[in-house]
Every structure is written in structure tokens, then in C-alpha cells.
């Protein structure tokens, strides 16, 4: 029943707190035990597999970053809430450039919402804190009588991205012409390929090539969060007609969008200045990632095969049952049908 109650708390409506005084026993000098010391003792009784242990220890580093290494009797519910709120703003560490940054540099770093850790991961952090404070320090070793996690709950926020109309995309791209040249082509790539921002930012000149069968230029996504993310992406006719290959030839460094790669916030700021509203008429958020939603929506509205669209944008094949196992990568010649239907020219 206690376990069920804890899971109900994890799925409740919001971060919240029910204040209650924290009490520790006289027989256990909690003030002499720091958070890190308690964590070491807590781990001694765990028989987790190596992969799970590594994930948990990484999450504890995030917890310790914001809770600091203080005596365990000094924490209050408000400290837990503030730590979780900060953890929810951390980036996905498997994405560059965040994977190359020290954890300490994350404290005051602004991370775009679409690049932050998932709500599920935030819940897992809370679960770890409940295990340490409530299950171990209160119930097992009885260092504390009341856990600072008691009364703390978290609700997964629905983070739905909106999409743009053709005229809105056209206005954004026109406005991008007044920004740095690299950003204009960065926005063009987002609008005409539907690629994720991190995928575009990571592109190297060597990732681009020309298909010998069709003569169509394309680029390779060599890594991603799933196997389906690794793919080839042909460039659409409208993007090519705009002069993208000429721009690519003019780039001197190997990384095509070096500024976007090193400073993700620069893309956020520049794109935000071109979008008049933070949300669309349905209340969905309008950010750079909305270009991807717009691309996918337009491709599906054109009546294209779902499998083609899924492979082009890097989604896992779904809806074909066992047939999906036998469906291999589509050729560049097949995939151009996806990108060539994308047009934002308002007639």
C-alpha cells in the first residue's frame, strides 16, 4: 500500500508540498552524516546490474549538484522541490555540445525545452530521492523520522509543439534573411528537411553527397537518439533552387553550422525574434522544433506513404505489423518524393 501511494504521488497533478516538521532520532546523529555519505551507505545494500547502477549514479550527481552535499537532517521539502525544478531544466546529456560540458556548467545554463530531459527522467530522480530519504534514512536505518520527500509530487507536463502555416513559415524565412547568413540557411534546412535542430547543427561538409542514380544532393545523419535517426536525407527541389549548395561550398570550416553547434541558445534567440507569438491558436508552443512538426504535417497531408515519411524524418516504422521487419531502407530516388512536396510559396 505504501508503494502504491508513492507511485500515486509521482503521477499526481503538479509539484506540491505539504509542510511538516523534519524530525531525527537522538540515537542517530544525522547532522554528522552528509548526503554523499548517506548515498555511499545506501548503495552498499543494492545489487543492481551495472547499467542500471550507472544510470542511477549519474542521476544522483544531478541531485547532489542542486541539493549540495549537506547534512541529511538539514533538507526540507522545499529543497527537494527546488532541486527537481532545476533538474527538469537540464539538457539531454547524450546530445552535443552538452555531452562535452562539465556538469557544474549546467547550473545556470539555459536549455531549450525540446532539448531538456524528459518528465519521465525527472520522476526517476524523485524516485531516487524517495528511496534514499524515505526508504533508507527513515525506515531502514532510522536516522530520520520524517523524509523531506514526503508530500512532494510531480506531474508530467504535456509539451506539445505547434506547427506553422505556409505564410507563417514564409514570413519567418524572409525575416531570417536579415539575420546572420548561417542562421538563414539553418532555418531553411529546418523548414525544408524537417531535421531536428541538433541534427542540423552537427552536420559536417563531408556528410553531404550526390546520389549517383538520381543526381540529387543529400546528407547523412550518422548518429541519433534511436537507430531510425541514422538515415540519408535528400534535399528538396525548392531548397536547392534557393542556392543552398552554393552556400555549402562557401563555408570554410568543416562543420557547416559551427555557431549553432557551439551555442544552441543563439538559435533559440534568433528564431524567437522571428516568431510573433510563443504559442499557436491551440495553445501549442511555437519554437524551432515546430518547423519539424510543420514539415511532417505537410508531407502527410500530401498523401505520401507513412513509411516514406517516417524514414525521411527518422521515426521508427509503425503500422505495418510484421511487414515492418521486412521493410528496408528506401532509396534516395524514393525519398525525394517526400521533400519535393514541401513548398512554402504562398500563391
Amino acid at each position: 500500500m505504501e508503494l502504491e501511494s508513492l507511485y500515486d504521488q509521482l503521477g499526481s497533478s503538479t509539484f506540491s508540498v505539504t509542510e511538516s516538521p523534519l524530525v531525527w532520532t537522538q540515537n542517530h546523529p544525522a547532522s554528522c552524516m552528509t548526503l554523499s555519505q548517506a548515498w555511499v551507505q545506501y548503495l552498499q545494500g543494492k545489487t543492481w546490474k551495472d547499467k542500471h547502477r550507472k544510470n542511477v549514479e549519474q542521476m544522483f550527481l544531478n541531485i547532489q549538484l542542486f541539493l549540495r552535499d549537506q547534512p541529511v537532517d538539514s533538507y526540507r521539502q522545499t529543497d527537494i522541490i527546488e532541486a527537481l525544478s532545476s533538474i527538469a531544466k537540464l539538457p539531454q546529456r547524450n546530445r552535443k555540445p552538452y555531452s562535452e560540458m562539465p556538469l557544474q556548467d549546467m547550473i545556470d545554463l539555459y536549455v531549450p525545452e525540446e532539448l531538456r530531459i524528459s518528465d519521465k527522467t525527472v520522476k526517476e530522480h524523485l524516485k531516487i530521492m524517495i528511496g534514499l530519504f524515505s526508504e533508507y534514512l527513515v525506515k531502514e536505518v532510522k536516522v530520520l523520522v520524517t523524509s523531506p520527500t514526503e508530500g512532494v509530487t510531480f506531474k508530467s507536463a504535456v509539451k506539445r509543439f505547434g506547427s506553422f502555416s505556409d505564410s507563417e513559415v514564409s514570413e519567418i524565412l524572409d525575416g531570417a534573411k536579415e539575420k546572420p547568413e548561417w542562421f538563414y540557411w539553418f532555418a531553411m534546412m529546418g523548414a525544408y528537411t524537417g531535421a531536428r535542430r541538433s541534427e542540423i547543427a552537427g552536420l559536417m561538409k563531408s556528410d553531404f553527397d550526390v546520389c549517383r542514380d538520381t543526381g540529387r544532393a543529400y546528407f547523412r545523419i550518422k548518429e541519433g537518439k534511436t537507430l531510425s535517426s541514422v538515415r540519408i536525407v535528400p534535399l528538396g527541389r525548392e531548397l536547392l533552387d534557393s542556392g543552398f549548395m552554393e552556400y555549402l561550398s562557401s563555408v570554410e570550416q568543416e562543420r557547416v553550422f559551427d555557431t549553432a553547434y557551439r551555442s544552441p541558445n543563439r538559435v533559440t534567440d534568433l528564431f524567437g525574434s522571428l516568431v510573433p507569438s510563443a504559442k499557436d491558436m491551440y495553445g501549442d508552443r511555437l519554437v524551432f522544433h515546430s518547423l519539424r512538426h510543420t514539415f511532417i504535417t505537410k508531407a502527410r497531408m500530401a498523401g505520401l506513404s507513412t513509411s516514406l515519411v517516417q524514414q525521411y524524418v527518422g521515426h521508427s516504422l509503425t503500422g505495418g505489423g510484421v511487414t515492418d521487419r521486412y521493410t528496408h531502407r528506401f532509396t534516395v530516388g524514393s525519398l525525394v518524393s517526400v521533400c519535393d512536396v514541401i513548398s512554402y510559396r504562398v500563391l
Side-chain angles (χ1 to χ4, degrees), residues 195 256 278:
V256 182

Side-chain angles (χ1 to χ4, degrees), residues 167-202:
S167 59
E168 288 172 333
V169 174
S170 181
E171 290 172 3
I172 289 171
L173 297 179
D174 282 343
K177 294 178 181 178
E178 306 300 320
K179 305 296 182 181
E181 185 180 19
W182 68 264
F183 175 75
Y184 168 70
W185 291 110
F186 193 91
M188 289 283 285
M189 286 284 283
Y192 283 101
T193 70
R196 301 174 178 90
R197 181 167 71 168
S198 59
E199 294 173 337
I200 302 173

Side-chain angles (χ1 to χ4, degrees), residues 47 74 84 90-91 101 136 168 180 236 243-245 293 306 311 314 344:
T47 57
S74 66
L84 285 171
L90 288 174
M101 297 174 62
Y136 181 69
E168 288 172 333
F244 175 77
M245 296 306 292
H293 283 239
T306 299
Q311 181 175 315
Y344 300 103

Side-chain angles (χ1 to χ4, degrees), residues 21-65:
L22 197 65
V23 183
W24 53 92
T25 66
Q26 296 297 322
N27 295 330
H28 295 80
S31 58
C32 297
M33 182 186 294
T34 65
L35 180 68
S36 61
Q37 291 170 338
W39 179 251
V40 170
Q41 294 183 26
Y42 174 64
L43 289 182
Q44 289 177 353
K46 300 301 179 183
T47 57
W48 297 324
K49 293 183 178 180
D50 290 343
K51 182 177 180 180
H52 180 66
R53 179 179 289 270
K54 182 178 179 180
N55 290 337
V56 171
E57 290 179 345
Q58 178 59 57
M59 285 189 280
F60 176 74
L61 291 177
N62 296 337
I63 293 169
Q64 190 176 31
L65 178 68

Side-chain angles (χ1 to χ4, degrees), residues 173 177 181-182 184-186 188-189 192 208 217 235-251 256-257 345:
L173 297 179
K177 294 178 181 178
E181 185 180 19
W182 68 264
Y184 168 70
W185 291 110
F186 193 91
M188 289 283 285
M189 286 284 283
Y192 283 101
F208 289 83
L235 303 181
R237 180 56 56 193
E238 200 162 291
L239 176 61
L240 292 170
D241 290 344
S242 298
F244 175 77
M245 296 306 292
E246 290 76 9
Y247 167 74
L248 182 64
S249 298
S250 70
V251 177
V256 182
F257 300 105
R345 293 172 180 165

Side-chain angles (χ1 to χ4, degrees), residues 205-220 232-235 240 245 248 332:
K205 293 186 72 172
S206 58
D207 292 330
F208 289 83
D209 206 342
V210 175
C211 174
R212 290 185 296 177
D213 293 337
T214 64
R216 180 62 64 93
Y218 67 90
F219 61 88
R220 302 179 186 87
I232 56 174
V233 183
L235 303 181
L240 292 170
M245 296 306 292
L248 182 64
V332 170

Side-chain angles (χ1 to χ4, degrees), residues 155-324:
K155 177 186 177 181
S156 298
V158 178
K159 298 180 179 179
R160 183 176 173 84
F161 297 101
S163 63
F164 299 105
S165 66
D166 287 357
S167 59
E168 288 172 333
V169 174
S170 181
E171 290 172 3
I172 289 171
L173 297 179
D174 282 343
K177 294 178 181 178
E178 306 300 320
K179 305 296 182 181
E181 185 180 19
W182 68 264
F183 175 75
Y184 168 70
W185 291 110
F186 193 91
M188 289 283 285
M189 286 284 283
Y192 283 101
T193 70
R196 301 174 178 90
R197 181 167 71 168
S198 59
E199 294 173 337
I200 302 173
L203 287 173
M204 312 291 279
K205 293 186 72 172
S206 58
D207 292 330
F208 289 83
D209 206 342
V210 175
C211 174
R212 290 185 296 177
D213 293 337
T214 64
R216 180 62 64 93
Y218 67 90
F219 61 88
R220 302 179 186 87
I221 301 294
K222 296 179 179 178
E223 60 181 28
K225 62 180 184 179
T226 66
L227 182 61
S228 300
S229 298
V230 180
R231 63 196 190 278
I232 56 174
V233 183
L235 303 181
R237 180 56 56 193
E238 200 162 291
L239 176 61
L240 292 170
D241 290 344
S242 298
F244 175 77
M245 296 306 292
E246 290 76 9
Y247 167 74
L248 182 64
S249 298
S250 70
V251 177
E252 296 181 356
Q253 68 273 11
E254 173 63 10
R255 193 175 299 281
V256 182
F257 300 105
D258 190 58
T259 301
Y261 179 81
R262 291 184 290 104
S263 306
N265 293 345
R266 185 67 175 141
V267 175
T268 300
D269 295 339
L270 289 170
F271 191 81
S273 68
L274 299 174
V275 180
S277 176
K279 295 183 178 181
D280 63 15
M281 61 184 295
Y282 303 104
D284 297 329
R285 295 176 300 117
L286 295 173
V287 294
F288 187 88
H289 195 72
S290 297
L291 291 176
R292 178 172 170 83
H293 283 239
T294 304
F295 180 98
I296 294 172
T297 300
K298 286 178 68 65
R300 296 191 69 182
M301 288 176 61
L304 294 170
S305 160
T306 299
S307 296
L308 275 174
V309 177
Q310 287 174 331
Q311 181 175 315
Y312 188 94
V313 299
H315 285 166
S316 300
L317 294 179
T318 58
V322 71
T323 307
D324 288 339

Side-chain angles (χ1 to χ4, degrees), residues 72-95:
V72 294
D73 60 24
S74 66
Y75 297 110
R76 300 293 184 269
Q77 289 105 331
T78 50
D79 297 322
I80 303 299
I81 290 176
E82 289 176 4
L84 285 171
S85 298
S86 298
I87 288 169
K89 298 175 184 177
L90 288 174
Q92 301 171 34
R93 296 301 301 278
N94 62 339
R95 292 175 175 267

